[in-house]
Amino acid sequence: MRNLSILDHIRYLIYADERRVLDFEKIPLDDVRTYQLLQQGDTTGVFQLESAGMRQALKEVYPTRFLDLVAVNALYRPGPMDFIPVYSRRKHGQEQVVLPHPILAPILNETYGVIVYQEQIMRIASVFAGFTLGEADVLRRAVSKKEKSILDQERQHFVRGALQNGYAENVANDVYDLIVRFANYGFPKSHAVAYSLITYQMAYLKANFAPYFYAALLTSVMGDRERQLKILQEVRAKEIPLLRPSIQKSGKSYRVESGSIRLALGAIRGVPQTFLKKLQQMQQVKKDWKSIFDMALSISAQHFKEKTIEALIKAGALDDFEQDRQTLLATVSRAENLAKLYAPDEETTVLYDTRIYGVPKHAEAEPMIEKEKLQGEKEVLGFYISKHPVEQLKAKMGQPVVPIHRVSSIKIGAAIQVIAAIQNIKVIRTKNGEQMAFLTVEDETATLSVTVFPKVFEQIKSLLEEDSILYIEGKVESRQQQVQLIAQKIQDVKSL
């Protein structure tokens, strides 16, 4: 249901930006871009395909048709997933497709001789042993539940029917063994196709309408800072423009403007729903504010609260007013007091005539330095909307390093260098009592786990502080299907 809602939201975003209606019934099932995305395992946000294991399965199977996607969705479950390599090798001609009897070819050719679906079991029983569909369904249930007593009874029934159809007893037993061997599968094709259609539609939209896909996906995970950050890092890695939140142009949800993603006001910590609802009303009447004072008088003191406005300023949403963020922060209390006098609530408002009272003045303040600006964004958004400090350092240093989002495509065991900021530090003691650490680091493109063994840890432990930026040399490794880095050398970037 969640993914159907995301699909509907994507369609709405496309219409809002381009004024065209996407017809899901007309999405082609042979779209080249979609299959390229699936083959690369580029499936963040794609229904059923997000896990590391599923991404690996996609790379292995290398789907080239819709039925491959259906098969992978059915196979990627405990037990059946052991046969993904068999499916893949047979699909790519690296292993011969062996069938116990040619009559099974129309049933098993589409899955390269591998029984994947419950319907295949039923069809084999019907075609090979003369079962009625009702009898075949009894066998299907016995296989899926692995009921030995019923399976033994059904073997006799199956072999007897096969003999009556003119097949040898040993062949009949081989076919029945094949059915029982795949007892762990038990997945209906009808279910797999229905799931895979949603999967394919999500992948198609990601491949062909990426800004709208990501905007809807980000909206669906608002409130989950970690998930939002990972998606935004992928957006940056794909060079999709990100626009700061705007008090005039942003809404509660993420929006798309001519191919760029506009950040949502609902993603800013400290902005209440009552404020967002009022703002939506003001945007519908196309209220155009020229200053923070216009805004305060328009929405009234009932909604113009210091903490809310400060969060919006730190996120960059009031940059519309072309004032330095520090100036705006210093001016909030003035604007709030003005609203209390002339617009204390939505029902009680008095026209503030600038010809009589003069134009309100902003407070004087020193310009906000870049570090404070970034800290403010991280505080209220959980990420940087301005240039990531690591990105800024890389540009200054010109050091040849690997962007973190590319690490997963690098060969295991390869030596690489990254520049990254520390997000999280976990220090433990080994069985020998030595200290080591597990770090989560990030650059502007992604996050990465780094293991620091005792020898390296002892040399650099004084450098390990959250938000500190480090130069790390290490070897790429895979642990629990997740790529990580084994640190061999760590330096403070200032020493380079």
Side-chain angles (χ1 to χ4, degrees), residues 116-305:
V116 177
Y117 311 113
Q118 292 180 6
E119 289 90 337
Q120 287 175 311
I121 292 173
M122 293 175 68
R123 287 182 64 200
I124 290 170
S126 176
V127 170
F128 196 81
F131 279 36
T132 66
L133 289 180
E135 290 170 333
D137 192 50
V138 172
L139 175 60
R140 175 195 63 80
R141 281 180 288 175
V143 167
S144 62
K145 293 179 181 178
K146 291 178 269 189
E147 297 175 357
K148 189 175 185 307
S149 60
I150 299 177
L151 284 172
D152 289 343
Q153 290 174 21
E154 289 300 315
R155 178 185 289 274
Q156 296 174 26
H157 183 186
F158 187 91
V159 172
R160 188 167 59 249
L163 289 172
Q164 289 173 357
N165 279 350
Y167 301 112
E169 185 174 351
N170 65 320
V171 175
N173 275 302
D174 286 346
V175 173
Y176 194 80
D177 286 340
L178 185 68
I179 290 171
V180 174
R181 181 186 174 197
F182 293 101
N184 283 333
Y185 283 58
F187 203 80
K189 185 178 183 182
S190 54
H191 192 166
V193 169
Y195 265 34
S196 297
L197 190 59
I198 298 172
T199 300
Y200 182 88
Q201 288 171 348
M202 294 286 281
Y204 175 85
L205 290 168
K206 183 172 186 179
N208 293 279
F209 296 88
Y212 306 98
F213 173 88
Y214 283 114
L217 187 64
L218 284 162
T219 297
S220 75
V221 298
M222 277 200 306
D224 185 338
R225 291 296 180 93
E226 188 177 341
R227 183 89 168 113
Q228 270 199 114
L229 176 60
K230 285 185 177 179
I231 296 167
L232 283 165
Q233 286 171 331
E234 188 170 300
V235 168
R236 283 194 169 104
K238 293 196 172 187
E239 299 182 349
I240 298 170
L242 275 172
L243 305 175
R244 62 168 177 79
S246 162
I247 199 66
Q248 313 264 36
K249 296 178 181 178
S250 292
K252 177 183 175 181
S253 304
Y254 286 81
R255 294 176 174 176
V256 177
E257 297 174 20
S258 303
S260 300
I261 297 174
R262 174 72 70 180
L263 265 75
L265 297 178
I268 303 170
R269 184 182 292 166
V271 178
Q273 294 298 315
T274 50
F275 177 88
L276 293 171
K277 188 175 180 181
K278 177 63 179 176
L279 184 65
Q280 186 180 27
Q281 293 171 0
M282 303 308 294
Q283 288 179 339
Q284 285 173 351
V285 296
K286 302 190 182 303
K287 196 70 177 176
D288 185 22
W289 300 320
K290 302 297 183 187
S291 71
I292 192 172
F293 300 106
D294 282 351
M295 176 185 169
L297 290 167
S298 180
I299 66 173
S300 81
Q302 183 177 334
H303 300 287
F304 193 95
K305 305 291 184 185

Side-chain angles (χ1 to χ4, degrees), residues 308-441:
T308 300
I309 306 307
E310 284 180 351
L312 290 165
I313 292 169
K314 288 177 180 179
L318 268 59
D319 287 4
D320 296 37
F321 301 144
E322 299 181 354
Q323 293 286 340
D324 185 83
R325 292 183 193 178
Q326 196 66 55
T327 299
L328 290 169
L329 286 171
T331 304
V332 172
S333 58
R334 290 189 182 185
E336 186 177 22
N337 289 333
L338 186 71
K340 285 176 180 177
L341 279 172
Y342 292 93
D345 55 54
E346 292 185 56
E347 286 73 37
T348 312
T349 58
V350 178
L351 177 65
Y352 182 87
D353 193 332
T354 54
R355 292 171 298 180
I356 299 171
Y357 304 111
V359 178
K361 301 293 183 186
H362 291 85
E364 292 185 10
E366 291 292 321
M368 183 177 283
I369 63 172
E370 190 67 18
K371 186 177 180 181
E372 288 176 340
K373 185 178 177 182
L374 291 168
Q375 285 173 341
E377 291 176 359
K378 189 101 184 245
E379 176 192 333
V380 298
L381 290 168
F383 49 84
Y384 305 109
I385 186 60
S386 299
K387 255 193 175 179
H388 196 289
V390 170
E391 188 178 6
Q392 294 177 3
L393 263 175
K394 283 184 193 175
K396 287 179 184 176
M397 296 169 60
Q399 195 81 10
V401 293
V402 176
I404 288 177
H405 78 284
R406 290 187 184 161
V407 174
S408 60
S409 62
I410 292 174
K411 187 178 178 182
I412 301 300
I416 64 167
Q417 302 81 38
V418 300
I419 291 178
I422 297 178
Q423 260 191 347
N424 182 265
I425 306 164
K426 182 182 179 182
V427 178
I428 65 166
R429 286 193 179 275
T430 66
K431 291 178 181 178
N432 298 328
E434 298 176 299
Q435 285 187 312
M436 63 174 289
F438 298 102
L439 311 179
T440 303
V441 302

Side-chain angles (χ1 to χ4, degrees), residues 28-60:
L29 292 177
D30 58 354
D31 180 67
V32 173
R33 283 186 177 181
T34 303
Y35 286 105
Q36 287 174 342
L37 180 139
L38 293 169
Q39 291 156 5
Q40 294 162 7
D42 180 12
T43 49
T44 299
V46 177
F47 179 55
Q48 295 282 297
L49 304 184
E50 292 203 73
S51 71
M54 185 59 98
R55 290 170 193 255
Q56 185 55 43
L58 288 168
K59 290 177 184 178
E60 196 171 341

